[in-house]
Amino acid sequence: QLKATGKAPFGLLPILEVDGTVISTSVAIVTYIAEVTGLTSDTPLERARGNMMMDGLHDVAGALNIPKYFFEKDEAKKAEHVTNFIDKMVPPWVEKFEAFFKQNGGGDGWFVGSKVTCVDFAIFNLFDSLSSFLQKDINLLLPKDKAPKLVALVERVKALPTLAAYLEKRPYLSY
């Protein structure tokens, strides 16, 4: 139905319509919302590093190949796909994210710059969503011994008052 309206510039979701203007693709939408809510970094270089990270997070989510997971009928193959993703695909990304994070103040604050940004929320969201989607403990995806700074960041984001209040009330999403 949406395709027939011509509203989706690339014929895909998500889209966000603001004052009659349609914005498409997840990263563009997140970037726009971050700009209007003040969740961007202070300098162009920090914003570029944040955008680089957002693209990396998008790549990790894409590596799961969700359609393959959902449409696989053979439960053994589905389980093998998840195990491969967790054991072989996630660890190198976690290692890269941890190293990248440490470049900003040793990894003791926020991911880019000196204040919370959409990148911090995106990191939390990636690991929280994967944990829920795969029905696996987040510590399996983000082990403290391999990524202590990222684990601490996820906990800092999770403890932000507005997010913490939401998380207490959010419904469980069953996939």
Side-chain angles (χ1 to χ4, degrees), residues 60 82-99 127 130 139-143 146-147 150:
V60 171
V82 170
T83 299
N84 182 57
F85 178 74
I86 292 171
D87 293 347
K88 293 190 171 90
M89 299 173 110
V90 171
W93 281 104
V94 167
E95 184 180 318
K96 289 172 186 163
F97 293 162
E98 178 84 357
F127 290 104
L130 285 174
N139 297 311
L140 184 63
L141 300 164
L142 192 59
K146 303 284 185 200
L150 278 176

Side-chain angles (χ1 to χ4, degrees), residues 130-151:
L130 285 174
S131 174
S132 177
F133 176 72
L134 298 172
Q135 298 178 355
K136 302 289 183 185
D137 188 295
I138 195 168
N139 297 311
L140 184 63
L141 300 164
L142 192 59
K144 192 169 190 168
D145 64 326
K146 303 284 185 200
K149 301 292 185 173
L150 278 176
V151 170

Side-chain angles (χ1 to χ4, degrees), residues 40-54:
T40 59
S41 298
D42 293 327
T43 70
L45 185 58
E46 289 174 355
R47 284 191 294 278
R49 288 177 59 80
N51 289 341
M52 183 172 79
M53 187 63 203
M54 294 293 282

Side-chain angles (χ1 to χ4, degrees), residues 21-81:
T21 299
V22 174
I23 302 167
S24 180
T25 77
S26 301
V27 174
I29 291 168
V30 168
T31 302
Y32 171 78
I33 292 170
E35 283 286 333
V36 299
T37 59
L39 287 172
T40 59
S41 298
D42 293 327
T43 70
L45 185 58
E46 289 174 355
R47 284 191 294 278
R49 288 177 59 80
N51 289 341
M52 183 172 79
M53 187 63 203
M54 294 293 282
D55 286 341
L57 293 171
H58 192 266
D59 290 345
V60 171
L64 179 54
N65 193 352
I66 291 173
K68 181 178 179 180
Y69 177 82
F70 270 120
F71 295 116
E72 179 58 63
K73 302 292 185 213
D74 184 327
E75 290 299 320
K77 286 183 181 178
K78 187 182 275 193
E80 182 182 337
H81 180 64

